[in-house]
Amino acid sequence: MSKKAISFVGWTFAVSYLYAALFYFGLQVRSGTGYLAMAVGYMWIPGIVAIVHWRRDKISFRDWKLLVKPNRWFFVAWLVFLLLQFVSIPVTMLWPGTSFSFYMTDFFAQYESLLPPEELETMRQQVTSNPWLPLLMMVVQSLV
């Protein structure tokens, strides 16, 4: 492995562990919205470390090149995740005690202790007024 790759992996691990330790031990964020915000930021760490390494090595963004030329299989690979999303629903329902709800009943049950009742009821009304919203969210999530 090259020195650059070792440096990238080392810095990524170091920054990731420091970031997680800051939230877990320093700020004592272990659940809820703060934890979600921490997790989203955590996912950006490898990309940020890569950009810092590229800038340190004076590699401009114009010098980036794909190793392969885009072709139709890129599009097919992108759509595979959408197919897997829909196939996972009936496969998951094969397990005992599992059900699928367009109205996200178990999802709201998880948030009953975290959100005020008025806010939770507003969320429920939004989902019941448009039962296709969870399905649309699944499609967007799988494509992104």
Side-chain angles (χ1 to χ4, degrees), residues 1 3 10 18 21 23 27 30 34-35 42-44 49 52 54-55 73 78 85 90-92 101 106 118 123-124 129:
M1 193 182 298
K3 287 183 181 181
L18 286 172
F23 273 85
L27 301 174
R30 296 186 177 128
Y35 182 79
Y42 192 85
M43 296 299 167
W44 285 91
V49 170
V52 168
W54 287 326
R55 299 306 293 167
W73 293 107
W78 188 53
Q85 183 82 35
V91 170
T92 304
S101 169
D106 291 335
E118 309 84 39
M123 288 173 58
R124 277 193 182 114
S129 68

Side-chain angles (χ1 to χ4, degrees), residues 100-104 127 130-139:
F100 181 77
S101 169
F102 273 106
Y103 298 108
M104 301 170 48
V127 170
N130 188 1
W132 293 102
L133 183 63
L135 188 62
L136 178 64
M137 288 171 25
M138 283 175 41
V139 168

Side-chain angles (χ1 to χ4, degrees), residues 64-74:
W64 294 1
K65 294 182 178 145
L66 289 174
L67 298 176
V68 291
K69 293 186 180 182
N71 56 46
R72 71 177 180 266
W73 293 107
F74 283 28

Side-chain angles (χ1 to χ4, degrees), residues 49-123:
V49 170
I51 290 170
V52 168
H53 273 71
W54 287 326
R55 299 306 293 167
R56 184 192 67 194
D57 295 338
K58 298 193 178 8
I59 298 173
S60 73
F61 294 121
R62 291 184 186 103
D63 294 335
W64 294 1
K65 294 182 178 145
L66 289 174
L67 298 176
V68 291
K69 293 186 180 182
N71 56 46
R72 71 177 180 266
W73 293 107
F74 283 28
F75 183 70
V76 170
W78 188 53
L79 291 178
V80 163
F81 292 103
L82 184 62
L83 176 68
L84 287 174
Q85 183 82 35
F86 285 105
V87 169
S88 70
I89 294 170
V91 170
T92 304
M93 291 178 46
L94 293 174
W95 272 262
T98 305
S99 63
F100 181 77
S101 169
F102 273 106
Y103 298 108
M104 301 170 48
T105 52
D106 291 335
F107 174 80
F108 290 123
Q110 291 177 337
Y111 284 93
E112 284 178 349
S113 63
L114 299 172
L115 295 173
E118 309 84 39
E119 195 172 328
L120 195 62
E121 188 56 36
T122 302
M123 288 173 58

